[in-house]
Amino acid sequence: MKVIKEKHPLVMRWTHWVNFPILAIMIWSGLLIYWANDVFTVTIFGHRFVKFFPEWFYKALHIPSRLAEGMAFHFLFMWFFALNGLFYVLYTILSGEWRLLVPNRHSFREAWLVVLHDLHIRRMAPPQKKYNAAQRIAYTAIIVMGFGSLVTGLAIYKPVQLYWLVWICGGYSFARILHFILTIGYVLFFVVHIVQVILAGWNNFRSVISGFEVIESGKEAPKE
């Protein structure tokens, strides 16, 4: 017999899905800005091996070189990104959801076991509650990354007015490097996240939309 079990609260689902288009626009507009001064390369002993990004990359994605448009979109949606993230963090703190989300002292050891299980090297997955150890680390890390993007982004946006923030970030150039690395991290997280969603199956994906999952009554659901 199948039963319906509540899994994700409305606020968690709302902030999750709102953040997706906002972050997509932020990355797209960030590329518009970056193309105006695409200085980052992989250089070893004076020889440039890779340029982020080559011109064919922009042409393949039909990304025009329009600095003013990119800045307008980026700095507008930055506030939506910040407010959505703040709302999410406040909710997790006030509701107590942070206890299920923040890694504990066993998470880093268990995360390795989760990876081995996902690679079909280990048969049994370690016990989990709402999120497994790898998810706890990844989801907490993405919150920290979001905060880092806001700090470095503001340092780049207002380097004169927020000179003290630029100093904390290690200077304007280093703040821009950190901002760029964090953006690459978002893209990698997104790719891994999509793969994990596909592997988890339809029932897990449905729970992020509807807030509930369908389980067999004879099977013991993970405790939350």
Side-chain angles (χ1 to χ4, degrees):
M1 178 176 156
K2 294 182 178 180
V3 296
I4 295 177
K5 181 177 183 295
E6 185 178 354
K7 188 172 184 180
H8 298 293
L10 177 61
V11 175
M12 302 288 282
R13 287 178 281 131
W14 174 262
T15 52
H16 175 274
W17 289 111
V18 166
N19 202 51
F20 174 73
I22 291 176
L23 192 56
I25 293 173
M26 291 289 289
I27 293 175
W28 168 76
S29 58
L31 285 173
L32 296 182
I33 298 172
Y34 177 73
W35 199 9
N37 186 25
D38 54 345
V39 296
F40 297 146
T41 63
V42 176
T43 305
I44 302 177
F45 298 116
H47 180 75
R48 188 176 71 184
F49 287 91
V50 178
K51 180 181 180 182
F52 293 101
F53 298 94
E55 189 171 345
W56 63 261
F57 173 85
Y58 298 103
K59 291 182 178 179
L61 295 180
H62 302 286
I63 300 174
S65 179
R66 294 200 292 267
L67 176 61
E69 180 182 353
M71 293 178 67
F73 274 97
H74 207 68
F75 298 138
L76 171 63
F77 281 88
M78 170 188 71
W79 298 111
F80 294 112
F81 178 74
L83 291 173
N84 189 60
L86 178 63
F87 186 43
Y88 173 80
V89 171
L90 287 177
Y91 174 78
T92 57
I93 294 174
L94 296 176
S95 66
E97 284 280 329
W98 66 271
R99 296 185 181 88
L100 305 173
L101 185 67
V102 176
N104 54 39
R105 59 191 179 92
H106 303 294
S107 295
F108 290 92
R109 177 178 57 84
E110 293 177 355
W112 176 244
L113 301 178
V114 172
V115 172
L116 294 178
H117 176 263
D118 290 344
L119 294 175
H120 301 286
I121 297 175
R122 190 176 189 272
R123 179 175 298 179
M124 297 296 294
Q128 69 177 70
K129 292 184 179 180
K130 186 174 184 177
Y131 305 105
N132 61 45
Q135 289 173 323
R136 282 173 171 251
I137 295 171
Y139 296 159
T140 302
I142 207 70
I143 295 173
V144 175
M145 288 169 60
F147 178 75
S149 291
L150 286 173
V151 171
T152 55
L154 287 172
I156 299 169
Y157 180 38
K158 297 290 185 179
V160 177
Q161 295 88 337
L162 301 175
Y163 63 91
W164 54 272
L165 195 59
V166 177
W167 178 81
I168 292 175
C169 294
Y172 180 86
S173 297
F174 193 63
R176 192 181 183 211
I177 292 173
L178 291 176
H179 200 71
F180 182 82
I181 292 174
L182 287 169
T183 303
I184 299 298
Y186 290 133
V187 175
L188 294 177
F189 174 85
F190 176 75
V191 172
V192 174
H193 189 56
I194 291 299
V195 172
Q196 292 287 4
V197 168
I198 295 173
L199 293 176
W202 166 249
N203 197 35
N204 183 71
F205 179 74
R206 175 174 52 192
S207 68
V208 185
I209 298 176
S210 64
F212 64 86
E213 62 180 351
V214 180
I215 60 174
E216 295 290 342
S217 60
K219 297 181 180 180
E220 184 179 355
K223 297 179 180 179
E224 298 189 13

